[in-house]
Amino acid sequence: MVIDEVEEKKEIISRYRRLLRKAKPSLKEGDAKLIKRAFTIALEAHKNMRRKSGEPFIFHPLTVAEICVEEIGLGTTSIVAALMHDVVEDTDIELADIDRMFGKKITSIVDGLTKIRGVFEYGTSAQAENFRKMLFTLSDDVRVILIKLADRLHNMRTLDSMPRHKQLKVASETIYLYAPLAHRLGLNAIKTELEDLYLRFTDYEVYREIADKIDETKASRNKFIKQFVQPIHDELGRLKINYEIKSRPKSIYSIYNKMRKQGIPFEEVYDLFAVRLILDAPLEQEKSFCWQAYSIVTDYYTPNPDRLRDWISTPKTNGYESLHTTVMAKNGQWVEVQIRTRRMDEIAEKGYAAHWKYKDSASSGESNLEKWLVRVRELLERQDLTALEFVDDFRGNLFSEEVFVFTPKGELKTLPNGATALDFAFDIHTDIGAKCIGAKVNQKLVPINHVLKNGDQIEILTSAKQKPNEDWLRFVVSPKAKSKIKEALKEDKKSIAEDGKEILMRKLNTLKLEPTSQTYEQMLAYFNLNSKFDLHFRIGKGIITINDLKRFKEYKPSSPIKAKSNTAVSDAKSFEQEISRVKGSSNDILLIGEDMDVVEYKLAKCCTPIPGDDVFGFVTVNEGIKIHRANCPNAPELLANHGNRVIKAKWTSQHEVAFLTGLKIIGTDRVGLINDVSKVISEELKVNMSSLSFKTDHGIFNGEIMLYVHDTRHLEVLIEKLETVEGVVQVSRFDSRG
Ligand code: MN
């Protein structure tokens, strides 16, 4: 490729000017100078670097800064930090240099955005550690995460130029952590784009198909909306309420999710789009304007009483405010109508940053977001969690929708959906949670695991004798309750282990054994345990008895016992070695079918891949390499946490081999149907079945068949054939994405 340096310089400058232009409305005196300085330094630092696409690297920080301004609504501090965000990681500039040039604030943001280097302990995950590190800075400054999201968004937009296995890793992290995070911070537009990009890079065919269909139906959709809105338009005009209509179709990813969850084709997704009325309303009249609009809409169209959502009176924790109703249009189609003011709409799209703009409005959404940040901080302050546990807990926190309940005094509490009386007790106070024996919900006595509903009023009953036990972990959903119970259990365990240690010391003494590290090693091997703590705990609990210890003494060999059976991967180093051995031995790409004798691999049971599927290999701790489909339901978690264990894999042609996979068949029941289906499979197509199960319920049947096929093409032929059987409505592979 020939690079025209003059052209490139021009392009860089023009992009920089565009950034400044977009930032201009929010700039104060001296800001432009600061931005220019950051740009100059970043430009110089990255000058010899190019992105995978061949572009000059500086395009990346420039675009990230632009996203911060335009799509998140951030200001100068963030622009400067965004311009510098890759400098420490990738160039010679150090944090101390940034501190000297831009001060503490920007340094701490850039620090939060810089990945940790080095080797991580066995059982940990570099990705999880880095994610946790980034979130640590959240308690100081939420901007770190906002800039990180902008960074991620640009990387996802430019993922095309990355090799396939990197695409999968980055896309998985995105769907596993970053999209939920964007959602939690109320950044709806970014969340939607991240999800769509994820689908695009993991299942391009499906993505393309849905995108095309959205395009094809555009004209008829617009016509429909025009007619639908006409009467509402007239009435709002009479009331002199200014408004704007937005009706974007649902995102590709959410349509895809609907189709998959409900097992329906595109054409049957009834809520493809929502009609949004955005009202210009003075702050003090927002609520009444919205309800007036609601009243007009439901004058013309009958609402579904189950689908009214009032997030104006009680906004969502991420700050979302809106009034939703689903009404029946004149053509018999359900349509969701979202009613909100311009301020609410901006917050819905840009999230947290938009709150700053409306800070004086005393909106309760903001205090809700504050509450969420407090919860995240609580989570972060727990030192005892490993990074993986942390990411898991954090995700729990991200996904939860809320339930609104009341204390006996009428105070409103927001808990994650599915929360129980026990969650509520821990939300009030740790001590009340720990002593909880039951509750009265709306005056009725209920057990501690009773699930709460919106509007419940709860009084907690306690007893001084009560204390948390293991079962409780299954009764709660809120991270706070979970962590408090775990803490209590850990304390409990600790004191049992301390007792156990004392018992052990006395016993070793009478057995005339020294408590040396060698003795410990032998005991751990003999009892098949992982740590001293486990050993002490089991002795304290009485699981390992004095007699067991005696037997150990009798058994004790003169030479050390070989440690556990899976020595090969019992520590970080040997595991890393195993990975590089496996990775190195197959020339970077595992050929399924050919490399069988070089490395051991198995096809994953969760997604039963067959030739033709897009796949990757994953190095497991105990079972060698597993081959998964790129769209396996477990892929996001595996790739997001353990990207370093992924190896590229490819099918080789092997016609004589057959692979196990599964099909789901839905249809209307009739006599002889099962017979016809199995006939097509075994006689016409000569495919071997491994199992077949059918359930019928009121004339509808659901069948699941496990069978052996050669490749995806073979499977497609089979599906087409099965769909021609009378009574069969739909045939699909049942293992892709849950
Ligand atoms: Mn970056």
Side-chain angles (χ1 to χ4, degrees):
M1 192 174 70
V2 187
I3 296 161
D4 185 338
E5 282 191 24
V6 181
E7 263 319 297
E8 217 166 68
K9 276 236 169 72
K10 267 196 206 154
E11 178 63 23
I12 292 171
I13 296 301
S14 108
R15 287 184 186 218
Y16 165 66
R17 292 222 173 99
R18 191 170 71 201
L19 168 68
L20 272 188
R21 210 162 46 240
K22 285 178 178 165
K24 203 167 179 214
S26 72
L27 294 188
K28 287 185 285 298
E29 219 192 296
D31 281 359
K33 232 179 174 175
L34 210 58
I35 294 170
K36 184 173 181 190
R37 202 154 137 216
F39 168 68
T40 319
I41 293 165
L43 182 63
E44 174 64 22
H46 291 299
K47 76 176 170 207
N48 293 319
M49 295 167 60
R50 289 189 178 271
R51 301 200 85 209
K52 272 264 157 30
S53 60
E55 289 179 334
F57 191 88
I58 192 72
F59 281 10
H60 171 60
L62 273 172
T63 315
V64 173
E66 202 176 313
I67 293 171
C68 285
V69 173
E70 200 174 24
E71 296 174 57
I72 313 183
L74 296 170
T76 304
T77 307
S78 307
I79 295 171
V80 171
L83 287 171
M84 308 297 290
H85 85 270
D86 273 330
V87 154
V88 175
E89 204 171 298
D90 299 337
T91 77
D92 294 336
I93 294 182
E94 285 171 23
L95 280 175
D97 303 321
I98 296 185
D99 191 29
R100 233 179 307 111
M101 295 181 285
F102 297 104
K104 242 170 98 191
K105 181 92 261 175
I106 284 166
T107 309
S108 84
I109 295 177
V110 174
D111 185 25
L113 291 163
T114 305
K115 282 202 205 95
I116 317 168
R117 266 180 230 262
V119 183
F120 294 87
E121 265 178 67
Y122 168 67
T124 63
S125 144
Q127 286 151 288
E129 296 287 355
N130 276 309
F131 190 72
R132 168 148 86 167
K133 183 196 172 208
M134 178 187 75
L135 287 178
F136 259 116
T137 47
L138 179 122
S139 36
D140 312 327
D141 200 325
V142 76
R143 280 177 289 196
V144 174
I145 289 162
L146 299 174
I147 298 167
K148 184 72 203 174
L149 282 170
D151 180 33
R152 177 52 57 129
L153 183 60
H154 186 232
N155 287 336
M156 282 297 283
R157 282 176 184 169
T158 52
L159 206 54
D160 253 329
S161 39
M162 285 297 201
R164 184 70 187 134
H165 68 291
K166 277 260 173 69
Q167 289 182 346
L168 285 178
K169 175 180 168 260
V170 174
S172 295
E173 274 177 6
T174 300
I175 204 68
Y176 192 70
L177 292 170
Y178 293 101
L181 190 59
H183 173 66
R184 211 59 186 83
L185 291 168
L187 294 159
N188 188 43
I190 289 182
K191 170 215 156 205
T192 303
E193 191 178 342
L194 287 176
E195 287 177 342
D196 283 358
L197 285 166
Y198 163 75
L199 186 61
R200 200 187 134 177
F201 286 105
T202 52
D203 208 335
Y204 184 73
E205 250 172 70
V206 171
Y207 172 87
R208 199 62 263 163
E209 191 188 316
I210 298 176
D212 288 346
K213 284 190 170 159
I214 291 176
D215 268 359
E216 286 162 23
T217 50
K218 196 173 171 189
S220 68
R221 198 164 50 237
N222 285 344
K223 196 173 142 216
F224 171 83
I225 290 164
K226 216 172 155 202
Q227 284 170 355
F228 178 85
V229 167
Q230 194 55 50
I232 302 169
H233 172 82
D234 297 343
E235 288 290 331
L236 284 171
R238 222 159 290 156
L239 288 172
K240 299 209 164 44
I241 296 180
N242 281 328
Y243 77 101
E244 184 195 343
I245 286 255
K246 274 193 200 167
S247 83
R248 243 176 287 154
K250 256 193 202 326
S251 75
I252 297 173
Y253 182 74
S254 63
I255 292 173
Y256 161 76
N257 254 337
K258 262 230 154 120
M259 290 166 57
R260 178 171 59 90
K261 274 193 192 132
Q262 301 177 5
I264 51 174
F266 179 88
E267 290 69 26
E268 281 171 37
V269 178
Y270 79 91
D271 48 354
L272 265 187
F273 60 92
V275 172
R276 191 182 299 163
L277 298 175
I278 299 156
L279 312 175
D280 288 332
L283 205 51
E284 56 294 350
Q285 280 176 284
E286 285 191 311
K287 203 169 167 178
S288 80
F289 272 44
C290 289
W291 283 105
Q292 277 183 62
Y294 172 83
S295 161
I296 291 169
V297 171
T298 52
D299 274 350
Y300 284 92
Y301 305 107
T302 314
N304 178 338
D306 294 336
R307 301 292 307 259
L308 173 63
R309 299 278 180 278
D310 173 10
W311 282 303
I312 292 181
S313 308
T314 39
K316 288 194 190 184
T317 320
N318 66 9
Y320 185 80
E321 294 170 79
S322 193
L323 202 57
H324 291 193
T325 177
T326 302
V327 300
M328 179 67 79
K330 301 293 181 211
N331 65 351
Q333 189 185 344
W334 288 113
V335 178
E336 180 175 294
V337 183
Q338 305 173 348
I339 302 165
R340 57 176 85 148
T341 64
R342 191 157 301 282
R343 178 189 66 83
M344 295 172 188
D345 190 56
E346 200 163 329
I347 287 172
E349 294 292 325
K350 289 188 178 170
Y352 188 76
H355 278 288
W356 290 344
K357 188 171 155 189
Y358 294 104
K359 221 168 189 168
D360 306 327
S361 72
S363 98
S364 50
E366 185 170 16
S367 63
N368 264 333
L369 189 78
E370 264 311 311
K371 274 186 208 153
W372 178 70
L373 289 174
V374 168
R375 267 195 239 162
V376 174
R377 253 169 242 155
E378 273 173 12
L379 198 63
L380 288 166
E381 276 155 17
R382 294 186 50 206
Q383 306 288 343
D384 55 328
L385 286 180
T386 69
L388 279 175
E389 281 174 323
F390 168 80
V391 168
D392 200 44
D393 266 21
F394 185 77
R395 271 170 46 83
N397 223 339
L398 289 174
F399 280 123
S400 53
E401 288 292 323
E402 293 107 21
V403 52
F404 300 99
V405 294
F406 296 95
T407 67
K409 285 188 178 147
E411 193 193 332
L412 180 71
K413 294 271 176 195
T414 314
L415 292 170
N417 211 357
T420 61
L422 193 55
D423 280 301
F424 181 83
F426 273 102
D427 193 72
I428 303 269
H429 197 279
T430 307
D431 292 340
I432 294 186
K435 301 277 172 235
C436 177
I437 52 165
K440 279 184 181 173
V441 170
N442 308 327
Q443 317 300 338
K444 248 178 69 188
L445 195 63
V446 299
I448 55 174
N449 60 349
H450 177 86
V451 177
L452 304 176
K453 288 196 297 292
N454 271 327
D456 278 348
Q457 191 162 36
I458 302 125
E459 185 189 339
I460 294 297
L461 307 171
T462 58
S463 155
K465 289 197 191 114
Q466 180 70 301
K467 79 181 199 202
N469 63 53
E470 291 274 347
D471 282 344
W472 282 24
L473 288 171
R474 289 188 289 116
F475 299 161
V476 295
V477 295
S478 63
K480 182 179 175 187
K482 247 184 212 162
S483 73
K484 292 293 176 195
I485 294 168
K486 278 188 198 159
E487 258 169 46
L489 292 174
K490 226 172 230 177
E491 277 306 306
D492 224 33
K493 270 193 170 172
K494 237 196 231 159
S495 77
I496 292 172
E498 270 161 31
D499 294 347
K501 188 176 176 187
E502 252 173 60
I503 298 170
L504 179 65
M505 289 307 134
R506 268 187 314 221
K507 194 59 206 170
L508 288 180
N509 201 13
T510 46
L511 290 173
K512 307 232 160 22
L513 286 172
E514 287 291 318
T516 58
S517 59
Q518 203 204 354
T519 311
Y520 263 106
E521 227 168 81
Q522 289 168 342
M523 282 192 289
L524 292 181
Y526 179 80
F527 294 110
N528 197 19
L529 295 171
N530 287 319
S531 68
K532 279 186 181 182
F533 184 89
D534 286 350
L535 179 68
H536 293 153
F537 176 74
R538 269 156 207 259
I539 295 172
K541 262 262 175 187
I543 301 169
I544 294 174
T545 63
I546 308 287
N547 278 334
D548 291 332
L549 289 170
K550 263 191 208 149
R551 246 171 306 201
F552 160 73
K553 152 103 183 188
E554 285 154 23
Y555 176 81
K556 193 170 109 61
S558 42
S559 63
I561 308 173
K562 192 175 166 288
K564 282 157 291 157
S565 54
N566 57 343
T567 7
V569 289
S570 61
D571 62 274
K573 236 201 184 143
S574 55
F575 190 60
E576 288 293 330
Q577 277 166 1
E578 178 66 12
I579 290 180
S580 52
R581 186 184 75 82
V582 162
K583 282 192 167 174
S585 69
S586 49
N587 241 344
D588 224 27
I589 185 151
L590 175 69
L591 296 171
I592 308 166
E594 282 184 3
D595 290 338
M596 206 73 182
D597 34 344
V598 190
V599 283
E600 202 184 321
Y601 64 83
K602 287 184 191 128
L603 302 178
K605 287 205 182 78
C606 47
C607 57
T608 56
I610 58 176
D613 282 333
D614 193 0
V615 289
F616 65 91
F618 187 77
V619 185
T620 67
V621 178
N622 290 320
E623 299 177 85
I625 300 169
K626 287 268 171 81
I627 308 293
H628 291 266
R629 281 157 68 182
N631 61 4
C632 168
N634 297 320
E637 191 199 334
L638 297 177
L639 296 167
N641 286 326
H642 305 287
N644 63 325
R645 296 207 221 155
V646 171
I647 40 181
K648 286 180 257 177
K650 208 170 78 180
W651 300 97
T652 51
S653 56
Q654 36 188 336
H655 289 297
E656 58 297 346
V657 192
F659 295 86
L660 188 67
T661 194
L663 285 181
K664 199 163 33 181
I665 303 184
I666 301 168
T668 51
D669 198 21
R670 66 171 171 84
V671 181
L673 184 112
I674 298 178
N675 211 359
D676 290 351
V677 166
S678 39
K679 229 186 207 158
V680 167
I681 296 173
S682 49
E683 286 178 25
E684 272 189 53
L685 292 158
K686 306 255 181 300
V687 168
N688 281 328
M689 278 185 283
S690 130
S691 70
L692 172 80
S693 72
F694 277 95
K695 256 185 282 170
T696 39
D697 183 23
H698 294 92
I700 301 294
F701 83 78
N702 271 289
E704 286 186 3
I705 309 175
M706 295 301 290
L707 36 74
Y708 289 94
V709 294
H710 297 305
D711 52 28
T712 43
R713 183 69 210 122
H714 188 193
L715 189 67
E716 275 163 30
V717 173
L718 183 61
I719 290 175
E720 273 167 34
K721 265 270 153 58
L722 284 173
E723 278 177 336
T724 62
V725 174
E726 190 197 330
V728 170
V729 175
Q730 198 192 26
V731 183
S732 55
R733 249 175 118 174
F734 66 71
D735 37 27
S736 101
R737 278 190 253 229

